[in-house]
Amino acid sequence: MKTLTMACTTCPASCKLIVKTENGEIVEISGNTCPRGIAFAQKEYTDPERLVTSTVLIEKDGKEFLLPVRTKTPVSKKLVFDVMEDIRKIKVKAPVRVGEVVYENIGNSSCELIACKTVV
Amino acid sequence: MTEKDFDVVVIGGGPAGMAAALEALKSVKKVAIVERNDELGGILNQCIHSGFGLQYFNEELTGPEYAQRFIDRVGDSEIEVFLNTMVLEIKDKTVIAMNEEGILKLKAKAIVLAMGCRERTRGQIRIPGTRPAGVLTAGLAQRYTNLENLKPGNRVVILGSGDIGLIMARRLKLEGLNVLSVYEIMPYANGLFRNIKNCLDDFDIPLHLSTTVTKVIGSKRLQAVEVSAVDDNLEPIPGTEEIIPCDTLLLSVGLIPENEVSKTAGVDLSKITGGPVVSNDLQTSEEGIFACGNVLHVHDLVDHVTREAEEAGRNAARYALGETSESTTQIPVEASGPVRYVLPSTITNTDEKVELKFRVGSPIEKGKVTVYLNDEPVYEGREKEFVPSIMETVTLSPEKLSDGKLRVEVK
Ligand SMILES: Cc1cc2nc3c(=O)[nH]c(=O)nc-3n(C[C@H](O)[C@H](O)[C@H](O)COP(=O)(O)OP(=O)(O)OC[C@H]3O[C@@H](n4cnc5c(N)ncnc54)[C@H](O)[C@@H]3O)c2cc1C
């Protein structure tokens, strides 16, 4: 039996989950204070996902700045570095509004990359 | 020189300043925000990671997205915003500031302090050795990476396990830098557990507890740091030294409220938090001057900053309208035992419920908070874990309060 600890990121309570596994299967989950902790632990054990946040270059009035961006939804943890590789190649032009899609299927994650800031 | 009259002048245009100004504007007409940077948003502009807004907006946002919501509201309002304008001092309820055009005198009926905080630097923690380039605070590295498109270095060591350091460990790793390890002098991590997991464990970045940097090595550019294990008194243990070659050392060793301007107004500051001493209406020792956000005490969640700032803005507007009455009650509030500080330090109005905010000085695995009024318990919490990185709150209803002294204790 193996014991893992996880930080449930479903809400700010950040419950410390204790997950016991045997032969690659979860046998016990504790430390959660609501059912969402169970769902989180199962997902985290089988296919963990992370929101990726970074910056891309944005051109405004002939000058280059950084625009904060993020994946619209969490992507599989395995794809985080692929997403970053694509992010490095992107350059956008102002105006951009917060929430606007700046790139589709980023890092082949089938997820969109969106702007986190309005630049006009 | 420009001279203008306002009901409420807010100093600082971060999340605290924006929320205070928006809330004040609900009751008074003339509100101003003075911000030294060229945009509103404060520290949130460089906090591009997510984890903001879960409580206030019920969704997980990045720092810039959280800020944008308030920037849009301020833009749509009648608030007068002075950007690129640095406040120099407060004198007789006049905010004296400077920008490209010269000196500004903004006369206010009430003032809200919302200047945020700054980072502790190497000088404040005294690491021996040379002074090469490559030693910088984690927040400055965050600014370089996320706002200015500069790379702080290649091989990075982080001293201190505060959240900014942890967030930067992940950020620099994602940008392709070699993040070697994080060293923490205390026997426990200072940052949130979720950040240890998602910023360090996800990328196999080791965290060494009870270990600190004992020497900085290098002439022009940092070449290495010497680290040593420490004993129970946090003193380096001879013989445990190890040399770690690196070109960048990030310091994530804490934040201090930014109160240079507050001092010019004669506001009393707490020795423990470094922020103003306030009563439960968030008024400082100077009448009509209120404080909120990181300038008051360091917050871990921006959602709490916004709520606190709204209260300060509301009370400042009330003061500007002359709606506050002389209070007769004065209930001092004290921290005891492992509780490091409690806010407010006095309760002057007992008509409404009072929120006590506090932090412990070191982790307590299982504890219970009790609030005493003259040694009589008036509030008892349930058993739980307490850590210094998380601010706790207790709400007392008015009927629990009467003359005497309040004491907050964790056992
Ligand atoms: C690196 C980092 C990571 C964080 N991560 C999270 C997180 O994941 N989740 C979360 O909820 N919270 C997080 N926080 C906390 C949260 O962001 C802060 O508590 C919040 O932004 C503080 O808001 P504020 O308005 O008090 O201060 P600030 O945002 O610092 O704003 C203060 C403003 O005042 C201005 N100012 C100062 N002095 C003057 C002067 N003399 N004249 C004019 N203007 C002045 C400054 O330029 C600045 O714009 C983080 C904080 C930091 C630093």
Side-chain angles (χ1 to χ4, degrees):
Chain A
M1 191 136 85
K2 272 198 213 153
T3 305
L4 310 166
T5 57
M6 296 176 181
C8 179
T9 51
T10 323
C11 85
S14 288
C15 292
K16 200 183 225 170
L17 307 177
I18 298 156
V19 179
K20 297 213 162 115
T21 62
E22 214 171 286
N23 307 325
E25 299 270 336
I26 295 182
V27 290
E28 193 191 317
I29 300 169
S30 58
N32 58 307
T33 47
C34 83
R36 288 185 296 173
I38 304 277
F40 177 87
Q42 273 150 357
K43 182 81 192 147
E44 183 70 11
Y45 187 63
T46 49
D47 180 22
E49 290 182 335
R50 299 288 182 262
L51 201 75
V52 181
T53 70
S54 189
T55 55
V56 299
L57 283 173
I58 181 166
E59 192 191 313
K60 185 192 158 187
D61 306 328
K63 281 195 215 126
E64 278 181 356
F65 300 90
L66 292 178
L67 173 75
V69 291
R70 68 166 166 100
T71 53
K72 194 166 179 183
T73 52
V75 300
S76 172
K77 197 171 132 184
K78 295 187 288 255
L79 294 175
V80 167
F81 279 96
D82 295 346
V83 169
M84 281 304 294
E85 202 157 303
D86 265 1
I87 284 180
R88 270 190 271 279
K89 297 180 204 144
I90 302 172
K91 198 157 143 187
V92 298
K93 275 205 166 90
V96 172
R97 299 232 149 245
V98 64
E100 206 176 297
V101 175
V102 299
Y103 201 88
E104 275 168 24
N105 189 23
I106 187 92
N108 277 324
S109 65
S110 72
C111 185
E112 295 168 331
L113 191 74
I114 61 170
C116 296
K117 188 175 176 159
T118 299
V119 180
V120 287
Chain B
M1 187 173 67
T2 316
E3 285 196 53
K4 278 191 148 178
D5 285 332
F6 289 96
D7 294 308
V8 175
V9 173
V10 179
I11 308 176
M18 292 192 285
L22 285 163
E23 193 65 24
L25 193 71
K26 290 183 182 164
S27 345
V28 296
K29 276 220 164 73
K30 294 170 79 178
V31 178
I33 298 177
V34 191
E35 168 58 54
R36 65 180 170 199
N37 285 333
D38 59 0
E39 59 181 351
L40 293 172
I43 200 82
L44 291 180
N45 289 319
Q46 67 183 64
C47 298
I48 63 160
H49 59 281
S50 66
F52 301 80
L54 276 163
Q55 294 188 9
Y56 194 80
F57 290 115
N58 261 317
E59 45 180 316
E60 184 163 353
L61 302 169
T62 61
E65 287 171 296
Y66 189 95
Q68 191 71 52
R69 298 204 173 180
F70 290 91
I71 294 172
D72 290 347
R73 289 180 197 178
V74 169
D76 290 339
S77 77
E78 298 288 303
I79 297 170
E80 191 163 341
V81 179
F82 297 90
L83 293 177
N84 299 307
T85 308
M86 171 96 178
V87 173
L88 305 173
E89 67 172 318
I90 303 171
K91 212 171 163 184
D92 307 325
K93 285 282 176 59
T94 301
V95 172
I96 302 168
M98 197 176 74
N99 61 20
E100 267 193 334
E101 281 138 52
I103 296 285
L104 263 74
K105 282 191 172 176
L106 312 177
K107 207 160 173 291
K109 290 184 183 140
I111 294 170
V112 179
L113 306 173
M115 290 92 73
C117 59
R118 63 187 141 84
E119 286 177 287
R120 269 182 224 279
T121 55
R122 181 176 168 189
Q124 279 144 332
I125 54 165
R126 291 194 222 105
I127 313 168
T130 52
R131 315 242 130 210
V135 181
L136 68 166
T137 64
L140 186 60
Q142 189 180 43
R143 199 186 156 77
Y144 285 164
T145 317
N146 295 344
L147 292 178
E148 297 177 13
N149 206 13
L150 297 169
K151 188 175 163 187
N154 294 304
R155 288 173 62 84
V156 186
V157 164
I158 299 176
L159 175 61
S161 59
D163 287 309
I164 315 177
L166 303 180
I167 299 276
M168 281 315 289
R170 172 178 61 188
R171 180 72 188 120
L172 295 177
K173 187 83 185 186
L174 284 176
E175 285 295 342
L177 277 67
N178 191 357
V179 182
L180 302 167
S181 46
V182 178
Y183 295 95
E184 169 59 57
I185 191 167
M186 303 304 284
Y188 52 86
N190 260 309
L192 301 172
F193 180 58
R194 62 190 288 164
N195 285 338
I196 304 280
K197 281 281 166 196
N198 291 4
C199 299
L200 301 186
D201 294 359
D202 267 10
F203 301 97
D204 298 320
I205 300 169
L207 167 63
H208 301 278
L209 300 174
S210 298
T211 312
T212 193
V213 170
T214 39
K215 207 188 220 166
V216 166
I217 303 161
S219 48
K220 271 203 182 120
R221 176 83 199 188
L222 181 67
Q223 282 171 341
V225 292
E226 178 197 87
V227 299
S228 306
V230 299
D231 61 21
D232 291 347
N233 300 318
L234 309 182
E235 292 297 329
I237 305 169
T240 61
E241 300 88 354
E242 197 185 330
I243 303 287
I244 315 286
C246 59
D247 63 7
T248 308
L249 172 65
L250 298 193
L251 307 174
S252 176
V253 290
L255 302 163
I256 335 168
E258 169 84 68
N259 277 288
E260 293 313 309
V261 171
S262 320
K263 285 184 201 157
T264 67
V267 164
D268 287 344
L269 301 179
S270 150
K271 284 209 179 66
I272 299 166
T273 60
V277 172
V278 293
S279 50
N280 61 314
D281 56 359
L282 299 172
Q283 192 163 197
T284 66
S285 60
E286 290 297 303
E287 237 199 80
I289 302 185
F290 298 78
C292 56
N294 277 355
V295 80
L296 180 56
H297 58 138
V298 176
H299 290 69
D300 28 281
L301 286 182
V302 71
D303 308 62
H304 296 157
V305 168
T306 302
R307 289 245 154 77
E308 185 178 273
E310 285 174 345
E311 206 183 313
R314 196 153 50 235
N315 293 335
R318 219 185 264 173
Y319 182 90
L321 290 168
E323 280 176 8
T324 40
S325 51
E326 264 310 297
S327 64
T328 46
T329 27
Q330 278 279 358
I331 307 173
V333 188
E334 275 176 12
S336 90
V339 178
R340 196 164 69 89
Y341 72 85
V342 186
L343 232 77
S345 47
T346 47
I347 295 169
T348 53
N349 171 350
T350 51
D351 300 340
E352 292 163 23
K353 60 179 193 238
V354 173
E355 208 169 65
L356 301 177
K357 300 173 186 166
F358 69 92
R359 261 179 218 275
V360 293
S362 52
I364 297 161
E365 220 169 277
K366 263 198 174 124
K368 210 152 90 178
V369 57
T370 312
V371 182
Y372 297 92
L373 179 71
N374 298 328
D375 298 322
E376 281 296 314
V378 289
Y379 175 95
E380 224 172 284
R382 63 179 173 87
E383 204 173 64
K384 59 181 282 264
E385 185 187 13
F386 291 86
V387 288
S389 57
I390 294 182
M391 185 183 80
E392 303 283 343
T393 51
V394 160
T395 310
L396 297 179
S397 47
E399 63 276 8
K400 293 269 166 88
L401 298 166
S402 65
D403 276 344
K405 203 165 79 182
L406 277 181
R407 187 161 54 86
V408 181
E409 196 177 84
V410 172
K411 262 199 186 129

